[in-house]
């Protein structure tokens, strides 16, 4: 069996599993519960804070059919219906992710928009997710504006960016904007403790503290570093090996000096 990296294995699948972004989760939960849905969302924040994750959960919320197939739009997608499982597995025909970092041009955007005229195949909504949207060319932005302003009622846009200042105002003004915060080290620390507990991996508290700080606010980086440290330490997380891996100087030495 192939090893699934921690960042993927522990990617939150529901809003309640998301940590450190309570303000965004609450706003989206309320909107979904009251069915006050906007047609375009913009998630901003540094890398590894959950922009793609929140987009996938939102897509599930919009399309979940419930365990009995009778469910509607929900803030708590069931995770077991065909829509939820297909989105989790990355094979839902009505959820499209476009990475604008590698697909910047007008052709890629037009290719996406051409699909907008067709109703959803399987779900209630089509969701177009454009990651790193600030990378699009100006022509690509312009091609998108009309559909972004008045999409068909079955289409939702989710835009994500690490650099909102590079997104044209014309696009910003059409989106409901949410800023995902960098994760506080304590939040990362707690989550790492939870993940390693579930994995049954012994970890020294100081090792986890070092990893949480080194992640600099990104949960994905924290989990990747932890993967690396587990490999480096032969299946254990000890302060000395983590410190060696991170190449950091022991603070107690600094204070002693
Ligand atoms: Zn579901």
């Amino acid at each position: 069996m192939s090893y699934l990296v921690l960042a993927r294995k522990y990617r939150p699948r529901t809003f309640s599993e998301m940590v450190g972004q309570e303000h965004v989760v609450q706003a989206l939960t309320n909107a979904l519960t009251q069915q006050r849905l906007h047609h375009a969302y913009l998630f901003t924040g540094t890398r590894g804070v959950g922009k793609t994750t929140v987009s996938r959960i939102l897509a599930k919320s919009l399309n979940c059919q419930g365990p009995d197939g009778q469910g509607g739009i929900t803030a708590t997608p069931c995770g077991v219906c065909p829509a939820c499982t297909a989105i989790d597995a990355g094979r839902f025909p009505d959820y499209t992710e476009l990475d604008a970092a590698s697909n910047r041009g007008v052709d890629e955007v037009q290719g996406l928009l051409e699909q907008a005229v067709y109703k959803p195949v399987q779900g209630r909504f089509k969701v177009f997710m454009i990651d790193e949207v600030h990378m699009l060319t100006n022509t690509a932005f312009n091609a998108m504006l009309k559909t972004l302003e008045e999409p068909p009622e079955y289409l939702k846009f989710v835009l994500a960016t690490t650099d909102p200042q590079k997104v044209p105002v014309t696009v910003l003004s059409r989106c409901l904007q949410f800023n995902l915060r960098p994760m506080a080290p304590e939040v990362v620390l707690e989550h790492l403790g939870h993940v390693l507990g579930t994995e049954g991996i012994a970890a020294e508290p100081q090792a986890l503290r070092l990893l949480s700080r080194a992640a600099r606010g990104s949960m994905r980086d924290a989990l990747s570093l932890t993967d690396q440290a587990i490999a480096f330490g032969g299946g254990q997380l000890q302060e000395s090996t983590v410190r060696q891996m991170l190449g950091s100087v022991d603070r107690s030495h600094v204070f002693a000096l």
Side-chain angles (χ1 to χ4, degrees):
M1 208 182 95
S2 65
Y3 177 72
L4 191 58
V5 297
L6 294 176
R8 282 186 57 201
K9 186 168 175 186
Y10 290 90
R11 184 192 275 276
R13 289 167 182 258
T14 61
F15 286 125
S16 59
E17 284 174 22
M18 280 202 80
V19 293
Q21 307 298 352
E22 288 76 12
H23 59 300
V24 173
V25 165
Q26 178 158 15
L28 289 176
T29 302
N30 290 345
L32 287 161
T33 313
Q34 298 159 13
Q35 312 234 340
R36 294 165 60 97
L37 299 169
H38 204 272
H39 58 263
Y41 296 84
L42 175 69
F43 297 116
T44 65
T46 56
R47 47 193 232 93
V49 291
K51 298 186 295 296
T52 309
T53 297
V54 79
S55 165
R56 289 186 189 166
I57 300 173
L58 181 60
K60 284 193 282 184
S61 296
L62 292 169
N63 284 300
C64 179
Q65 297 146 9
D68 57 359
Q70 307 295 312
I73 297 170
T74 173
T76 51
C78 69
V80 296
C81 72
C84 285
T85 47
I87 293 169
D88 280 337
R91 46 171 180 78
F92 190 62
D94 299 311
Y95 179 70
T96 312
E97 280 180 12
L98 180 82
D99 180 10
S102 44
N103 304 278
R104 327 184 40 215
V106 68
D107 290 349
E108 283 87 356
V109 167
Q110 253 155 8
L112 185 68
L113 295 175
E114 274 162 22
Q115 300 171 39
V117 297
Y118 303 107
K119 289 193 172 163
V121 181
Q122 191 184 329
R124 231 171 266 128
F125 292 95
K126 270 190 156 147
V127 180
F128 288 170
M129 195 278 187
I130 307 181
D131 199 10
E132 295 301 0
V133 69
H134 66 274
M135 302 284 280
L136 289 181
T137 62
N138 276 333
T139 344
F141 273 125
N142 288 334
M144 196 171 76
L145 277 184
K146 180 107 182 63
T147 317
L148 187 62
E149 185 159 53
E150 282 182 74
E153 83 284 357
Y154 52 76
L155 177 63
K156 303 282 179 206
F157 277 96
V158 177
L159 311 180
T161 180
T162 48
D163 199 350
Q165 293 186 331
K166 288 194 186 136
V167 179
V169 180
T170 44
V171 171
L172 290 179
S173 67
R174 286 163 172 81
C175 297
L176 201 57
Q177 194 172 329
F178 293 98
N179 183 27
L180 280 77
R181 300 187 187 123
M183 313 264 177
E186 312 82 72
V187 172
V188 176
L189 181 67
E190 195 187 323
H191 189 65
L192 286 185
H194 164 75
V195 165
L196 293 169
T198 313
E199 291 284 306
I201 292 171
E204 292 180 359
Q206 196 54 28
L208 291 189
R209 223 163 265 133
L210 287 169
L211 289 167
S212 312
R213 271 206 307 264
R216 294 173 179 274
S218 159
M219 194 63 89
R220 185 172 57 219
D221 285 5
L223 289 167
S224 302
L225 284 171
T226 304
D227 262 326
Q228 211 179 319
I230 292 168
F232 195 77
Q236 287 180 21
L237 283 176
Q238 284 171 334
E239 183 191 351
S240 52
T241 48
V242 169
R243 200 176 287 284
Q244 204 184 336
M245 184 192 89
L246 296 172
S248 56
V249 180
D250 191 333
R251 280 195 172 193
S252 56
H253 290 325
V254 177
F255 288 131
L257 283 170

